Structure formats: structure tokens, C-alpha cells
Amino acid sequence: MATQDWGPWFQVDAGGCPADLLPVFTGEDFRRLPLASPVLRVQPDRGWVLVNKETIVSTERVEQTFRTELLGRGIDVIATPETFTYDFGDGSRDLVTRSAGRPYPDHDTFHVYDEVGTVQITLTTTWTGRYRVDGTTQWREVVGTAQTSSTSAPFSVEERRSHLVSGLCTDTPKPADC
């Protein structure tokens, strides 16, 4: 039982109507979306590349849209690829870039292998998001990110040497030094 007299009232919270409260689409909610990994492209794409020559990588910067529900309210979500991280599979430092890359000859994302061997390239894409709750016009940022990964098929890094021959290698019979 209180022994003190009642004091003056003071406002603790501005409050609001529960109907006006909007659900918050969290980073955890964002990571549950079925984000598709962007396609990883490698040039040259022939099952092998040359040591000490540029191996070009690229992908696409394409937003993905989703329609979901949270606490009984409809939500529109837009996921945007923010950064691309390439692990070239040879122990070198990862390439982290905001560029989706471009194909040859205007390429800007590439790697030079300095040893022969078999490798795979892994692309990890970091996504940011924004969402809009039904009945509102304001887009809100998702606090947190999501990631997707895709890996190339294994390919070999090879060394090729040229040498002079006495005849044409297309002659029949084929010269012995071809």
C-alpha cells in the first residue's frame, strides 16, 4: 500500500492509436526472402584460362521485388544488389566492388592468376532492401543486409607456350614438331 500522496501527472509517451502502428520489416525478415543469386559470368568461358592473363568476371545489377505479409499487413519489398565479392579460389585477396562488371573489351572486374592449377570462383552478393506497408506511400529502409552466393564450375589455369615449326600444323601428314 502506497504511503505517499499522489503527485502531479506528467506525460510519459505521446502514445498513438494502435491502428496507426506499422509493422517493421527487419533484417531477419529480409534474409528469409527467396533472393536469387545473380548469374556469375567468367571470360574466357572455355573451361580453362591462361596464367598471367586477365580472367574477367561480371554479373548483373538487377533489383528483385517481393510481395509478402507481416502481422496481417501486405508488404512490398525491393532488394538491391549493393556489393559484389569475388573469391577467385587461389588464396588471393577477394575483390570487393560495387560494379557488376562489364565484358571484354570494356571490362573493369578481373583477376590475374599467377599459378597453374584448378580453381572455382565464388561470387557473394550483398543486398540492401526497402519496404512499403500497404496503405502507405513511404518506403522505409530495411535495417540489415542479406547475402547470396554462386560458384563457377571448376576450371584450369594453364600455361601455354608457342614455338616455331618447320611446316604448317594443318599439313597432312602432320609435321612431327607440331
Side-chain angles (χ1 to χ4, degrees):
M1 180 181 253
T3 59
Q4 294 180 338
D5 292 334
W6 286 85
W9 288 94
F10 60 95
Q11 186 170 352
V12 175
D13 187 5
C17 178
D20 294 337
L21 298 177
L22 296 176
V24 175
F25 195 76
T26 66
E28 186 176 326
D29 296 323
F30 186 55
R31 287 185 286 279
R32 285 191 194 114
L33 294 175
L35 288 165
S37 293
V39 174
L40 167 60
R41 288 194 287 294
V42 180
Q43 285 183 297
D45 185 16
R46 59 181 172 228
W48 60 273
V49 299
L50 291 173
V51 69
N52 298 321
K53 295 289 184 183
E54 293 176 348
T55 300
I56 302 166
V57 291
S58 63
T59 189
E60 295 177 355
R61 181 180 291 281
V62 177
E63 291 184 334
Q64 297 181 41
T65 59
F66 299 91
R67 178 77 180 157
T68 189
E69 193 173 287
L70 185 63
L71 300 175
R73 304 281 299 263
I75 306 272
D76 293 315
V77 182
I78 298 175
T80 304
E82 195 65 30
T83 60
F84 305 98
T85 302
Y86 294 94
D87 176 346
F88 292 99
D90 63 350
S92 64
R93 182 182 302 184
D94 292 351
L95 170 64
V96 180
T97 180
R98 294 177 63 86
S99 172
R102 294 186 299 269
Y104 179 86
D106 300 318
H107 59 286
D108 62 343
T109 51
F110 59 88
H111 179 67
V112 177
Y113 290 99
D114 58 7
E115 293 183 25
V116 297
T118 300
V119 296
Q120 288 181 279
I121 299 173
T122 299
L123 166 63
T124 301
T125 305
T126 301
W127 300 83
T128 59
R130 60 188 192 276
Y131 68 97
R132 179 179 60 199
V133 179
D134 282 356
T136 67
T137 58
Q138 181 182 0
W139 286 91
R140 292 170 165 73
E141 297 296 319
V142 174
V143 177
T145 59
Q147 290 187 327
T148 58
S149 289
S150 57
T151 301
S152 72
F155 60 92
S156 61
V157 179
E158 300 179 5
E159 182 176 29
R160 301 282 172 106
R161 296 185 182 266
S162 62
H163 59 276
L164 296 175
V165 295
S166 61
L168 294 176
C169 288
T170 55
D171 288 347
T172 305
K174 191 177 227 180
D177 55 351
C178 285

